[in-house]
Amino acid sequence: MPALVRTDDVRRQNTRSIIQVLRRHGCVSRTEIVEYTGLSPATVSTITSTLITDGLLLSRSELGKSQETVSRRGRPRVTLSLNPEIGCIVVIVLSINKLTAWLQDYSGQVLAKANDHFESRSATADDFEHYLLRIVTRLMRQQAGSPIPLRYISLGVQGVVDAGGQIMLWSPMTTLLNLPLGEMLHKAFNVPVWVANDCNMAAEALHWQDSQRFGDDFAAILLGSGIGMGLVLKGRRFIGRQSSAAEFGHMVHAMEEGALCRCGQYGCVEAYVGDYAIWRRVSGLPETSPPVSEIDPVAMIDLARRAHENEGVEREAYREAGRALGKALRSLFALIDPITIAFIGGGVRAFDLMEPEIRNALRHNGNMLEASDVTLYCYEDSQALIHLGCAMTTLQTLDRTLGIGE
């Protein structure tokens, strides 16, 4: 029996499509919205008129002599945009020793940005609360003129988050467990707060940027100080029963007497692929030696350069990382079938040295998978993706609180 399509559901979906176009492109005409969405002119006119009446959209006439600003009938071109004064959001990306935050209005425009450096490994829970509250307050004070009300705060964090999006259960940035980051911020600013795993947010960003390439089934794997994964299956971000889950970096690569991982266990994929693992091997240290807490990014850039220039321990370290990645992907694909993979972060600088080992491991997959059938992409700027994913997810959540798409 065919599924019934409710008129309200169709209207909600069409409204979401129009809002997304406005966030992507800024000021656009109704004609352009029709072109971008494929909706009928009548549908676009009806929905946008309602949104203007509700104060969510702004309409203006662009007067000018050029053909670009005047229609064929000589009328001024009327453009629509999201009303930035509806409210603002704060997006925070929290990683080892670093805190970066952005203030954005309802249209997605960045109004201000701030950074803090703090010793996260030695920080207490009170320290985390202090730095979080301070950076949000600093951003809010940077608004010029009449301040836009704060509506939502989101955090993309390096670590495991509870399924409810409020508590950082574990993170390599600190020895503390079960940090109630959401409660800290909600108590201070009285707005909804959402805490998410950083790799999950990178996956959201890839889907937002290119839904053709990153559609219903794909993964974003972070290669950097840690190894993480954001997994999308059948169009939905994978979340565990109790946590953000999908801890790709802590899948087992070596069963016994493996390398020491930053999580305290032995033999994890991350203990062979993470920056500290590559650094440890190049430095000639035993696999069981404690991982260094932080490596200067410039030092890792130089290490990758040396690996490209000459055969030696640097190049072999990346090859071993590729073998570990390939084995882990082979195990993942055995469970869910092959999917598109995006590697993100500073580790992709030497991806060309790892890729042959990855594909060689995939050739030995039990389902006779051809390694060439797996599509792999690389994106070096992981922070930009994490920020974008947090921002777009938060703004879409704000839409629902305003009754859009509900």
PDB file of all heavy atoms in Angstrom, residues 351-383:
ATOM      1  N   PHE A 351      48.890  11.648   3.029  1.00  0.00           N
ATOM      2  CA  PHE A 351      47.950  10.589   2.662  1.00  0.00           C
ATOM      3  C   PHE A 351      48.430   9.787   1.459  1.00  0.00           C
ATOM      4  O   PHE A 351      48.175   8.590   1.361  1.00  0.00           O
ATOM      5  CB  PHE A 351      46.571  11.185   2.379  1.00  0.00           C
ATOM      6  CG  PHE A 351      45.530  10.128   2.112  1.00  0.00           C
ATOM      7  CD1 PHE A 351      45.018   9.376   3.149  1.00  0.00           C
ATOM      8  CD2 PHE A 351      45.096   9.871   0.814  1.00  0.00           C
ATOM      9  CE1 PHE A 351      44.082   8.378   2.918  1.00  0.00           C
ATOM     10  CE2 PHE A 351      44.169   8.871   0.571  1.00  0.00           C
ATOM     11  CZ  PHE A 351      43.654   8.125   1.624  1.00  0.00           C
ATOM     12  N   ASP A 352      49.137  10.441   0.543  1.00  0.00           N
ATOM     13  CA  ASP A 352      49.628   9.724  -0.634  1.00  0.00           C
ATOM     14  C   ASP A 352      50.594   8.602  -0.257  1.00  0.00           C
ATOM     15  O   ASP A 352      50.726   7.614  -0.994  1.00  0.00           O
ATOM     16  CB  ASP A 352      50.300  10.700  -1.600  1.00  0.00           C
ATOM     17  CG  ASP A 352      51.454  11.455  -0.967  1.00  0.00           C
ATOM     18  OD1 ASP A 352      51.312  11.887   0.203  1.00  0.00           O
ATOM     19  OD2 ASP A 352      52.490  11.624  -1.622  1.00  0.00           O
ATOM     20  N   LEU A 353      51.246   8.728   0.911  1.00  0.00           N
ATOM     21  CA  LEU A 353      52.133   7.667   1.382  1.00  0.00           C
ATOM     22  C   LEU A 353      51.354   6.538   2.048  1.00  0.00           C
ATOM     23  O   LEU A 353      51.808   5.395   2.076  1.00  0.00           O
ATOM     24  CB  LEU A 353      53.151   8.239   2.376  1.00  0.00           C
ATOM     25  CG  LEU A 353      54.051   9.358   1.847  1.00  0.00           C
ATOM     26  CD1 LEU A 353      54.964   9.863   2.947  1.00  0.00           C
ATOM     27  CD2 LEU A 353      54.867   8.869   0.650  1.00  0.00           C
ATOM     28  N   MET A 354      50.177   6.858   2.589  1.00  0.00           N
ATOM     29  CA  MET A 354      49.358   5.855   3.269  1.00  0.00           C
ATOM     30  C   MET A 354      48.406   5.130   2.324  1.00  0.00           C
ATOM     31  O   MET A 354      48.070   3.957   2.542  1.00  0.00           O
ATOM     32  CB  MET A 354      48.548   6.525   4.390  1.00  0.00           C
ATOM     33  CG  MET A 354      49.397   7.073   5.519  1.00  0.00           C
ATOM     34  SD  MET A 354      48.385   7.706   6.894  1.00  0.00           S
ATOM     35  CE  MET A 354      47.903   9.318   6.243  1.00  0.00           C
ATOM     36  N   GLU A 355      47.959   5.821   1.280  1.00  0.00           N
ATOM     37  CA  GLU A 355      46.903   5.262   0.433  1.00  0.00           C
ATOM     38  C   GLU A 355      47.242   3.907  -0.183  1.00  0.00           C
ATOM     39  O   GLU A 355      46.377   3.004  -0.197  1.00  0.00           O
ATOM     40  CB  GLU A 355      46.511   6.260  -0.659  1.00  0.00           C
ATOM     41  CG  GLU A 355      45.340   5.771  -1.492  1.00  0.00           C
ATOM     42  CD  GLU A 355      44.860   6.788  -2.507  1.00  0.00           C
ATOM     43  OE1 GLU A 355      45.524   7.828  -2.683  1.00  0.00           O
ATOM     44  OE2 GLU A 355      43.811   6.535  -3.126  1.00  0.00           O
ATOM     45  N   PRO A 356      48.458   3.680  -0.709  1.00  0.00           N
ATOM     46  CA  PRO A 356      48.735   2.351  -1.280  1.00  0.00           C
ATOM     47  C   PRO A 356      48.558   1.229  -0.256  1.00  0.00           C
ATOM     48  O   PRO A 356      48.072   0.140  -0.604  1.00  0.00           O
ATOM     49  CB  PRO A 356      50.194   2.468  -1.742  1.00  0.00           C
ATOM     50  CG  PRO A 356      50.396   3.937  -1.980  1.00  0.00           C
ATOM     51  CD  PRO A 356      49.590   4.616  -0.927  1.00  0.00           C
ATOM     52  N   GLU A 357      48.952   1.478   0.983  1.00  0.00           N
ATOM     53  CA  GLU A 357      48.803   0.460   2.028  1.00  0.00           C
ATOM     54  C   GLU A 357      47.331   0.256   2.378  1.00  0.00           C
ATOM     55  O   GLU A 357      46.899  -0.871   2.651  1.00  0.00           O
ATOM     56  CB  GLU A 357      49.597   0.861   3.277  1.00  0.00           C
ATOM     57  CG  GLU A 357      51.083   1.030   3.051  1.00  0.00           C
ATOM     58  CD  GLU A 357      51.764  -0.287   2.706  1.00  0.00           C
ATOM     59  OE1 GLU A 357      51.190  -1.366   2.985  1.00  0.00           O
ATOM     60  OE2 GLU A 357      52.879  -0.244   2.139  1.00  0.00           O
ATOM     61  N   ILE A 358      46.570   1.342   2.378  1.00  0.00           N
ATOM     62  CA  ILE A 358      45.130   1.234   2.651  1.00  0.00           C
ATOM     63  C   ILE A 358      44.471   0.364   1.588  1.00  0.00           C
ATOM     64  O   ILE A 358      43.726  -0.576   1.896  1.00  0.00           O
ATOM     65  CB  ILE A 358      44.483   2.630   2.683  1.00  0.00           C
ATOM     66  CG1 ILE A 358      44.994   3.439   3.878  1.00  0.00           C
ATOM     67  CG2 ILE A 358      42.951   2.515   2.730  1.00  0.00           C
ATOM     68  CD1 ILE A 358      44.535   4.889   3.887  1.00  0.00           C
ATOM     69  N   ARG A 359      44.747   0.666   0.345  1.00  0.00           N
ATOM     70  CA  ARG A 359      44.099  -0.073  -0.752  1.00  0.00           C
ATOM     71  C   ARG A 359      44.592  -1.521  -0.814  1.00  0.00           C
ATOM     72  O   ARG A 359      43.826  -2.426  -1.163  1.00  0.00           O
ATOM     73  CB  ARG A 359      44.317   0.649  -2.075  1.00  0.00           C
ATOM     74  CG  ARG A 359      43.609   2.017  -2.121  1.00  0.00           C
ATOM     75  CD  ARG A 359      43.405   2.511  -3.513  1.00  0.00           C
ATOM     76  NE  ARG A 359      42.709   3.797  -3.539  1.00  0.00           N
ATOM     77  CZ  ARG A 359      41.393   3.948  -3.475  1.00  0.00           C
ATOM     78  NH1 ARG A 359      40.611   2.880  -3.360  1.00  0.00           N
ATOM     79  NH2 ARG A 359      40.848   5.146  -3.520  1.00  0.00           N
ATOM     80  N   ASN A 360      45.837  -1.744  -0.453  1.00  0.00           N
ATOM     81  CA  ASN A 360      46.342  -3.111  -0.430  1.00  0.00           C
ATOM     82  C   ASN A 360      45.609  -3.940   0.619  1.00  0.00           C
ATOM     83  O   ASN A 360      45.260  -5.106   0.381  1.00  0.00           O
ATOM     84  CB  ASN A 360      47.840  -3.114  -0.137  1.00  0.00           C
ATOM     85  CG  ASN A 360      48.433  -4.507  -0.185  1.00  0.00           C
ATOM     86  OD1 ASN A 360      48.358  -5.197  -1.198  1.00  0.00           O
ATOM     87  ND2 ASN A 360      49.018  -4.930   0.927  1.00  0.00           N
ATOM     88  N   ALA A 361      45.345  -3.343   1.779  1.00  0.00           N
ATOM     89  CA  ALA A 361      44.594  -4.050   2.822  1.00  0.00           C
ATOM     90  C   ALA A 361      43.171  -4.338   2.362  1.00  0.00           C
ATOM     91  O   ALA A 361      42.614  -5.401   2.655  1.00  0.00           O
ATOM     92  CB  ALA A 361      44.582  -3.220   4.104  1.00  0.00           C
ATOM     93  N   LEU A 362      42.568  -3.401   1.632  1.00  0.00           N
ATOM     94  CA  LEU A 362      41.197  -3.599   1.182  1.00  0.00           C
ATOM     95  C   LEU A 362      41.098  -4.683   0.112  1.00  0.00           C
ATOM     96  O   LEU A 362      40.042  -5.297  -0.053  1.00  0.00           O
ATOM     97  CB  LEU A 362      40.632  -2.278   0.639  1.00  0.00           C
ATOM     98  CG  LEU A 362      40.432  -1.160   1.675  1.00  0.00           C
ATOM     99  CD1 LEU A 362      39.881   0.085   0.994  1.00  0.00           C
ATOM    100  CD2 LEU A 362      39.509  -1.614   2.788  1.00  0.00           C
ATOM    101  N   ARG A 363      42.175  -4.927  -0.595  1.00  0.00           N
ATOM    102  CA  ARG A 363      42.150  -5.985  -1.617  1.00  0.00           C
ATOM    103  C   ARG A 363      41.965  -7.371  -1.013  1.00  0.00           C
ATOM    104  O   ARG A 363      41.546  -8.299  -1.688  1.00  0.00           O
ATOM    105  CB  ARG A 363      43.463  -5.971  -2.424  1.00  0.00           C
ATOM    106  CG  ARG A 363      43.577  -4.795  -3.373  1.00  0.00           C
ATOM    107  CD  ARG A 363      44.765  -4.946  -4.306  1.00  0.00           C
ATOM    108  NE  ARG A 363      44.926  -3.754  -5.111  1.00  0.00           N
ATOM    109  CZ  ARG A 363      45.748  -2.748  -4.818  1.00  0.00           C
ATOM    110  NH1 ARG A 363      46.495  -2.814  -3.724  1.00  0.00           N
ATOM    111  NH2 ARG A 363      45.838  -1.695  -5.595  1.00  0.00           N
ATOM    112  N   HIS A 364      42.255  -7.474   0.269  1.00  0.00           N
ATOM    113  CA  HIS A 364      42.138  -8.761   0.942  1.00  0.00           C
ATOM    114  C   HIS A 364      40.820  -8.869   1.706  1.00  0.00           C
ATOM    115  O   HIS A 364      40.669  -9.696   2.591  1.00  0.00           O
ATOM    116  CB  HIS A 364      43.318  -8.959   1.908  1.00  0.00           C
ATOM    117  CG  HIS A 364      44.628  -9.020   1.210  1.00  0.00           C
ATOM    118  ND1 HIS A 364      45.394  -7.894   0.981  1.00  0.00           N
ATOM    119  CD2 HIS A 364      45.309 -10.059   0.653  1.00  0.00           C
ATOM    120  CE1 HIS A 364      46.505  -8.243   0.331  1.00  0.00           C
ATOM    121  NE2 HIS A 364      46.473  -9.549   0.117  1.00  0.00           N
ATOM    122  N   ASN A 365      39.879  -8.001   1.359  1.00  0.00           N
ATOM    123  CA  ASN A 365      38.585  -8.028   2.032  1.00  0.00           C
ATOM    124  C   ASN A 365      37.837  -9.322   1.687  1.00  0.00           C
ATOM    125  O   ASN A 365      37.881  -9.805   0.558  1.00  0.00           O
ATOM    126  CB  ASN A 365      37.749  -6.814   1.596  1.00  0.00           C
ATOM    127  CG  ASN A 365      36.652  -6.506   2.581  1.00  0.00           C
ATOM    128  OD1 ASN A 365      36.775  -6.771   3.770  1.00  0.00           O
ATOM    129  ND2 ASN A 365      35.577  -5.946   2.090  1.00  0.00           N
ATOM    130  N   GLY A 366      37.120  -9.865   2.664  1.00  0.00           N
ATOM    131  CA  GLY A 366      36.443 -11.138   2.481  1.00  0.00           C
ATOM    132  C   GLY A 366      35.333 -11.114   1.451  1.00  0.00           C
ATOM    133  O   GLY A 366      34.989 -12.152   0.881  1.00  0.00           O
ATOM    134  N   ASN A 367      34.760  -9.941   1.174  1.00  0.00           N
ATOM    135  CA  ASN A 367      33.655  -9.894   0.199  1.00  0.00           C
ATOM    136  C   ASN A 367      34.147  -9.588  -1.214  1.00  0.00           C
ATOM    137  O   ASN A 367      33.380  -9.132  -2.057  1.00  0.00           O
ATOM    138  CB  ASN A 367      32.594  -8.878   0.626  1.00  0.00           C
ATOM    139  CG  ASN A 367      33.150  -7.457   0.686  1.00  0.00           C
ATOM    140  OD1 ASN A 367      34.305  -7.222   0.340  1.00  0.00           O
ATOM    141  ND2 ASN A 367      32.338  -6.515   1.138  1.00  0.00           N
ATOM    142  N   MET A 368      35.456  -9.823  -1.453  1.00  0.00           N
ATOM    143  CA  MET A 368      36.040  -9.668  -2.784  1.00  0.00           C
ATOM    144  C   MET A 368      35.926  -8.246  -3.310  1.00  0.00           C
ATOM    145  O   MET A 368      35.850  -7.999  -4.499  1.00  0.00           O
ATOM    146  CB  MET A 368      35.385 -10.647  -3.781  1.00  0.00           C
ATOM    147  CG  MET A 368      35.443 -12.103  -3.368  1.00  0.00           C
ATOM    148  SD  MET A 368      37.143 -12.674  -3.136  1.00  0.00           S
ATOM    149  CE  MET A 368      37.697 -12.679  -4.839  1.00  0.00           C
ATOM    150  N   LEU A 369      35.922  -7.291  -2.393  1.00  0.00           N
ATOM    151  CA  LEU A 369      35.844  -5.891  -2.765  1.00  0.00           C
ATOM    152  C   LEU A 369      37.060  -5.465  -3.575  1.00  0.00           C
ATOM    153  O   LEU A 369      38.192  -5.775  -3.215  1.00  0.00           O
ATOM    154  CB  LEU A 369      35.753  -5.035  -1.496  1.00  0.00           C
ATOM    155  CG  LEU A 369      35.971  -3.532  -1.634  1.00  0.00           C
ATOM    156  CD1 LEU A 369      34.762  -2.904  -2.309  1.00  0.00           C
ATOM    157  CD2 LEU A 369      36.211  -2.898  -0.283  1.00  0.00           C
ATOM    158  N   GLU A 370      36.838  -4.788  -4.657  1.00  0.00           N
ATOM    159  CA  GLU A 370      37.931  -4.192  -5.420  1.00  0.00           C
ATOM    160  C   GLU A 370      38.347  -2.886  -4.744  1.00  0.00           C
ATOM    161  O   GLU A 370      37.512  -2.007  -4.520  1.00  0.00           O
ATOM    162  CB  GLU A 370      37.497  -3.911  -6.852  1.00  0.00           C
ATOM    163  CG  GLU A 370      37.353  -5.155  -7.710  1.00  0.00           C
ATOM    164  CD  GLU A 370      38.697  -5.805  -7.982  1.00  0.00           C
ATOM    165  OE1 GLU A 370      39.726  -5.116  -7.904  1.00  0.00           O
ATOM    166  OE2 GLU A 370      38.712  -7.021  -8.258  1.00  0.00           O
ATOM    167  N   ALA A 371      39.614  -2.765  -4.410  1.00  0.00           N
ATOM    168  CA  ALA A 371      40.076  -1.571  -3.692  1.00  0.00           C
ATOM    169  C   ALA A 371      39.779  -0.300  -4.475  1.00  0.00           C
ATOM    170  O   ALA A 371      39.510   0.752  -3.903  1.00  0.00           O
ATOM    171  CB  ALA A 371      41.567  -1.676  -3.414  1.00  0.00           C
ATOM    172  N   SER A 372      39.827  -0.387  -5.790  1.00  0.00           N
ATOM    173  CA  SER A 372      39.585   0.807  -6.606  1.00  0.00           C
ATOM    174  C   SER A 372      38.138   1.271  -6.536  1.00  0.00           C
ATOM    175  O   SER A 372      37.820   2.392  -6.925  1.00  0.00           O
ATOM    176  CB  SER A 372      39.957   0.522  -8.062  1.00  0.00           C
ATOM    177  OG  SER A 372      39.193  -0.560  -8.572  1.00  0.00           O
ATOM    178  N   ASP A 373      37.232   0.414  -6.034  1.00  0.00           N
ATOM    179  CA  ASP A 373      35.821   0.789  -5.949  1.00  0.00           C
ATOM    180  C   ASP A 373      35.528   1.714  -4.773  1.00  0.00           C
ATOM    181  O   ASP A 373      34.464   2.317  -4.709  1.00  0.00           O
ATOM    182  CB  ASP A 373      34.945  -0.465  -5.818  1.00  0.00           C
ATOM    183  CG  ASP A 373      34.955  -1.294  -7.094  1.00  0.00           C
ATOM    184  OD1 ASP A 373      35.340  -0.741  -8.138  1.00  0.00           O
ATOM    185  OD2 ASP A 373      34.590  -2.484  -7.022  1.00  0.00           O
ATOM    186  N   VAL A 374      36.443   1.794  -3.820  1.00  0.00           N
ATOM    187  CA  VAL A 374      36.240   2.637  -2.646  1.00  0.00           C
ATOM    188  C   VAL A 374      36.716   4.051  -2.957  1.00  0.00           C
ATOM    189  O   VAL A 374      37.876   4.257  -3.316  1.00  0.00           O
ATOM    190  CB  VAL A 374      37.003   2.086  -1.426  1.00  0.00           C
ATOM    191  CG1 VAL A 374      36.776   2.981  -0.215  1.00  0.00           C
ATOM    192  CG2 VAL A 374      36.549   0.664  -1.126  1.00  0.00           C
ATOM    193  N   THR A 375      35.825   5.010  -2.816  1.00  0.00           N
ATOM    194  CA  THR A 375      36.163   6.406  -3.115  1.00  0.00           C
ATOM    195  C   THR A 375      36.672   7.081  -1.858  1.00  0.00           C
ATOM    196  O   THR A 375      36.001   7.081  -0.822  1.00  0.00           O
ATOM    197  CB  THR A 375      34.933   7.163  -3.638  1.00  0.00           C
ATOM    198  OG1 THR A 375      34.363   6.432  -4.731  1.00  0.00           O
ATOM    199  CG2 THR A 375      35.320   8.554  -4.111  1.00  0.00           C
ATOM    200  N   LEU A 376      37.864   7.673  -1.950  1.00  0.00           N
ATOM    201  CA  LEU A 376      38.508   8.336  -0.818  1.00  0.00           C
ATOM    202  C   LEU A 376      38.751   9.806  -1.161  1.00  0.00           C
ATOM    203  O   LEU A 376      39.239  10.129  -2.250  1.00  0.00           O
ATOM    204  CB  LEU A 376      39.846   7.663  -0.486  1.00  0.00           C
ATOM    205  CG  LEU A 376      39.827   6.147  -0.272  1.00  0.00           C
ATOM    206  CD1 LEU A 376      41.246   5.633  -0.038  1.00  0.00           C
ATOM    207  CD2 LEU A 376      38.924   5.767   0.885  1.00  0.00           C
ATOM    208  N   TYR A 377      38.407  10.689  -0.233  1.00  0.00           N
ATOM    209  CA  TYR A 377      38.636  12.120  -0.402  1.00  0.00           C
ATOM    210  C   TYR A 377      39.448  12.642   0.780  1.00  0.00           C
ATOM    211  O   TYR A 377      39.458  12.033   1.850  1.00  0.00           O
ATOM    212  CB  TYR A 377      37.320  12.885  -0.484  1.00  0.00           C
ATOM    213  CG  TYR A 377      36.456  12.517  -1.667  1.00  0.00           C
ATOM    214  CD1 TYR A 377      35.420  11.595  -1.532  1.00  0.00           C
ATOM    215  CD2 TYR A 377      36.674  13.092  -2.915  1.00  0.00           C
ATOM    216  CE1 TYR A 377      34.621  11.255  -2.616  1.00  0.00           C
ATOM    217  CE2 TYR A 377      35.884  12.759  -4.001  1.00  0.00           C
ATOM    218  CZ  TYR A 377      34.851  11.840  -3.847  1.00  0.00           C
ATOM    219  OH  TYR A 377      34.069  11.495  -4.920  1.00  0.00           O
ATOM    220  N   CYS A 378      40.109  13.782   0.591  1.00  0.00           N
ATOM    221  CA  CYS A 378      40.928  14.385   1.648  1.00  0.00           C
ATOM    222  C   CYS A 378      40.597  15.860   1.829  1.00  0.00           C
ATOM    223  O   CYS A 378      40.457  16.597   0.844  1.00  0.00           O
ATOM    224  CB  CYS A 378      42.419  14.237   1.324  1.00  0.00           C
ATOM    225  SG  CYS A 378      43.018  12.544   1.442  1.00  0.00           S
ATOM    226  N   TYR A 379      40.502  16.290   3.084  1.00  0.00           N
ATOM    227  CA  TYR A 379      40.253  17.687   3.447  1.00  0.00           C
ATOM    228  C   TYR A 379      41.141  18.011   4.647  1.00  0.00           C
ATOM    229  O   TYR A 379      40.980  17.436   5.724  1.00  0.00           O
ATOM    230  CB  TYR A 379      38.788  17.908   3.811  1.00  0.00           C
ATOM    231  CG  TYR A 379      37.823  17.589   2.695  1.00  0.00           C
ATOM    232  CD1 TYR A 379      37.381  16.279   2.482  1.00  0.00           C
ATOM    233  CD2 TYR A 379      37.361  18.588   1.840  1.00  0.00           C
ATOM    234  CE1 TYR A 379      36.507  15.969   1.453  1.00  0.00           C
ATOM    235  CE2 TYR A 379      36.478  18.287   0.805  1.00  0.00           C
ATOM    236  CZ  TYR A 379      36.061  16.972   0.621  1.00  0.00           C
ATOM    237  OH  TYR A 379      35.190  16.666  -0.398  1.00  0.00           O
ATOM    238  N   GLU A 380      42.061  18.934   4.469  1.00  0.00           N
ATOM    239  CA  GLU A 380      43.038  19.201   5.527  1.00  0.00           C
ATOM    240  C   GLU A 380      42.460  20.020   6.677  1.00  0.00           C
ATOM    241  O   GLU A 380      42.799  19.789   7.837  1.00  0.00           O
ATOM    242  CB  GLU A 380      44.257  19.925   4.944  1.00  0.00           C
ATOM    243  CG  GLU A 380      45.370  20.127   5.952  1.00  0.00           C
ATOM    244  CD  GLU A 380      46.635  20.681   5.318  1.00  0.00           C
ATOM    245  OE1 GLU A 380      46.841  20.478   4.106  1.00  0.00           O
ATOM    246  OE2 GLU A 380      47.432  21.317   6.040  1.00  0.00           O
ATOM    247  N   ASP A 381      41.592  20.983   6.397  1.00  0.00           N
ATOM    248  CA  ASP A 381      41.110  21.908   7.443  1.00  0.00           C
ATOM    249  C   ASP A 381      39.940  21.288   8.201  1.00  0.00           C
ATOM    250  O   ASP A 381      38.771  21.537   7.899  1.00  0.00           O
ATOM    251  CB  ASP A 381      40.702  23.237   6.811  1.00  0.00           C
ATOM    252  CG  ASP A 381      40.505  24.334   7.859  1.00  0.00           C
ATOM    253  OD1 ASP A 381      40.425  24.001   9.062  1.00  0.00           O
ATOM    254  OD2 ASP A 381      40.424  25.517   7.468  1.00  0.00           O
ATOM    255  N   SER A 382      40.247  20.492   9.203  1.00  0.00           N
ATOM    256  CA  SER A 382      39.196  19.817   9.966  1.00  0.00           C
ATOM    257  C   SER A 382      38.405  20.790  10.834  1.00  0.00           C
ATOM    258  O   SER A 382      37.197  20.624  11.002  1.00  0.00           O
ATOM    259  CB  SER A 382      39.803  18.719  10.844  1.00  0.00           C
ATOM    260  OG  SER A 382      40.770  19.252  11.740  1.00  0.00           O
ATOM    261  N   GLN A 383      39.076  21.815  11.370  1.00  0.00           N
ATOM    262  CA  GLN A 383      38.351  22.743  12.251  1.00  0.00           C
ATOM    263  C   GLN A 383      37.252  23.482  11.506  1.00  0.00           C
ATOM    264  O   GLN A 383      36.160  23.687  12.038  1.00  0.00           O
ATOM    265  CB  GLN A 383      39.300  23.755  12.894  1.00  0.00           C
ATOM    266  CG  GLN A 383      38.581  24.601  13.950  1.00  0.00           C
ATOM    267  CD  GLN A 383      39.445  25.673  14.562  1.00  0.00           C
ATOM    268  OE1 GLN A 383      39.733  26.691  13.925  1.00  0.00           O
ATOM    269  NE2 GLN A 383      39.872  25.466  15.798  1.00  0.00           N
TER     270      GLN A 383
END
